[in-house]
Amino acid sequence: MRRATIHDVAAAAGVSVATVSKAVNGRYGVSPETVGRVLDVVRELGYESSLVASSMRSRRTGVVGVLVADIEPFSAEILKGVGAALSDTGYDLLAYTASRRQGEGWERRSLSRLSGTLIDAAIIVTPTVVNIAGEVPIVAIDPHTGRGDVPTVESDSFTGAQQAVHYLAQLGHRRIGFIAGRPDLRSAVARASGYREALAAAGIPFDPALVGVGRYEKDVAREAAHAMLSLADPPTAVFAANDLSALSIVQVAAERGLRVPEDLSVVGFDDVPEAARAQPGLTTVRQPMQRLGGEAVRMVLALLAGEELDETHIQLPTRLVARGTTAPPPAR
């Protein structure tokens, strides 16, 4: 026997699917008589085994949704942190990936699908917008535009980038390249600003020829690295806005016959697990990705409990982790 669906309930009760959804979730606009008829059908068809019926009984689903545009190393670490923070709370985790084709505003469309019947609250990772009106409490991690109408959690990207470039300058590098991230993402812009600020602090002139755009994507970062390393006066060190781009630079250097770190130093950002496993290990700026997820959980649970947040914006510190891809520049 197949499991009863909301369409079965609607047909048996003689109402629309929208009316069933309103009835089981206690929403305004349905008469008490209709609600009673719908709930009788729900029990009769065994629809109570679903998340929707759970919501009907307790007005809660016991699920926190994490919405991501894509599953990649950064969002995977966020999910680990959310899962760990929820482990003893009685809440389950639902990871939801939106189609890349949805573009800007994907989070609004995703929330409309999930809110009310599937999740009690939402944590949105790198949303394109943060002025979101939702039926459930919402917390944003690393939003494109920074602070907004919903509570936000992010890492200190500006200071992290400064640390990376300052470290390379201390090693003696003067030709320091930068592979930037996505220009539409606030944290990527902050890393670019930190790069330029650290160059100025070290007395190193900014050279636009030493800046490429990797958009946090391997193939795009590879193209930017090839172009940069083809310059008549190439960099002796490159700072990348994320680890995947940095690891791509290491690969490109090897393809061009350059040794890392003897001929070229490379620094990344994030400290994803692949950074430590690489050979040589990648020097990078560590942002506490799992802690970002944990802080978002703490905030969203407080909102679910009806509490007022002490802070609606949290910025976590970053720190440099030196490994095997950095060394003083080669003698010229």
Side-chain angles (χ1 to χ4, degrees), residues 5-87:
T5 69
I6 193 170
H7 296 280
D8 297 328
V9 174
V15 298
S16 68
V17 168
T19 298
V20 174
S21 178
K22 289 180 180 179
V24 298
N25 287 288
R27 294 178 185 167
Y28 176 78
V30 183
S31 69
E33 294 79 9
T34 300
V35 170
R37 185 166 75 253
V38 168
L39 297 187
D40 285 343
V41 171
V42 163
R43 285 187 287 271
E44 182 181 336
L45 296 183
Y47 193 51
E48 67 272 12
S49 61
S50 70
L51 280 174
V52 175
S54 247
S55 169
M56 173 196 69
R57 291 192 300 269
S58 65
R59 305 303 179 203
R60 292 285 178 91
T61 66
V63 177
V64 172
V66 181
L67 282 60
V68 298
D70 192 16
I71 298 292
E72 35 69 39
F74 174 77
S75 59
E77 291 300 303
I78 296 290
L79 287 169
K80 290 178 187 177
V82 172
L86 288 175
S87 61

Side-chain angles (χ1 to χ4, degrees), residues 65 121-125 127 136-141 150-153 292 295-301 303 309 312:
I123 295 170
I124 312 178
V125 182
V136 298
I138 301 168
V139 174
I141 295 178
V150 303
T152 55
V153 189
L292 288 172
E295 288 292 337
V297 168
R298 182 184 63 79
M299 296 172 81
V300 88
L301 291 182
L303 293 173
L309 297 177
T312 58

Side-chain angles (χ1 to χ4, degrees), residues 2-303:
R2 70 178 181 85
R3 177 176 167 180
T5 69
I6 193 170
H7 296 280
D8 297 328
V9 174
V15 298
S16 68
V17 168
T19 298
V20 174
S21 178
K22 289 180 180 179
V24 298
N25 287 288
R27 294 178 185 167
Y28 176 78
V30 183
S31 69
E33 294 79 9
T34 300
V35 170
R37 185 166 75 253
V38 168
L39 297 187
D40 285 343
V41 171
V42 163
R43 285 187 287 271
E44 182 181 336
L45 296 183
Y47 193 51
E48 67 272 12
S49 61
S50 70
L51 280 174
V52 175
S54 247
S55 169
M56 173 196 69
R57 291 192 300 269
S58 65
R59 305 303 179 203
R60 292 285 178 91
T61 66
V63 177
V64 172
V66 181
L67 282 60
V68 298
D70 192 16
I71 298 292
E72 35 69 39
F74 174 77
S75 59
E77 291 300 303
I78 296 290
L79 287 169
K80 290 178 187 177
V82 172
L86 288 175
S87 61
D88 296 323
T89 66
Y91 281 91
D92 293 325
L93 163 64
L94 172 68
Y96 183 88
T97 305
S99 168
R100 282 174 173 257
R101 295 187 299 273
Q102 291 191 23
E104 184 173 329
W106 62 267
E107 46 284 304
R108 288 196 181 103
R109 291 183 287 274
S110 299
L111 280 170
S112 69
R113 295 189 184 104
L114 302 175
S115 297
T117 57
L118 291 178
I119 59 174
D120 291 334
I123 295 170
I124 312 178
V125 182
T126 60
T128 58
V129 292
V130 288
N131 298 321
I132 307 168
E135 299 179 23
V136 298
I138 301 168
V139 174
I141 295 178
D142 193 22
H144 284 220
T145 56
R147 303 184 189 193
D149 291 345
V150 303
T152 55
V153 189
E154 65 179 1
S155 294
D156 188 351
S157 289
F158 178 80
T159 301
Q162 283 184 312
Q163 292 172 350
V165 177
H166 176 69
Y167 176 68
L168 291 170
Q170 280 189 319
L171 289 174
H173 293 277
R174 303 287 294 178
R175 297 283 292 169
I176 303 173
F178 177 54
I179 302 296
R182 287 169 43 185
D184 62 325
L185 190 57
R186 179 174 178 267
S187 57
V189 173
R191 290 169 203 179
S193 298
Y195 162 76
R196 294 193 62 163
E197 183 70 23
L199 288 181
I204 300 173
F206 172 73
D207 184 350
L210 294 181
V211 176
V213 178
R215 297 190 60 83
Y216 295 147
E217 298 176 16
K218 289 181 179 180
D219 291 341
V220 181
R222 283 180 57 84
E223 292 180 14
H226 273 298
M228 191 178 295
L229 296 177
S230 297
L231 294 171
D233 187 11
T236 60
V238 181
F239 165 50
N242 75 332
D243 286 344
L244 293 185
S245 297
L247 293 171
S248 292
I249 296 167
V250 173
Q251 292 175 348
V252 169
E255 293 166 8
R256 301 179 69 90
L258 298 174
R259 299 167 299 163
V260 175
E262 292 85 357
D263 301 318
L264 180 72
S265 288
V266 180
V267 180
F269 199 111
D270 284 337
D271 199 21
V272 298
E274 292 84 349
R277 293 197 294 261
Q279 293 298 324
L282 180 67
T283 295
T284 188
V285 176
R286 176 180 294 165
Q287 64 166 324
M289 294 172 287
Q290 293 191 26
R291 188 180 164 199
L292 288 172
E295 288 292 337
V297 168
R298 182 184 63 79
M299 296 172 81
V300 88
L301 291 182
L303 293 173

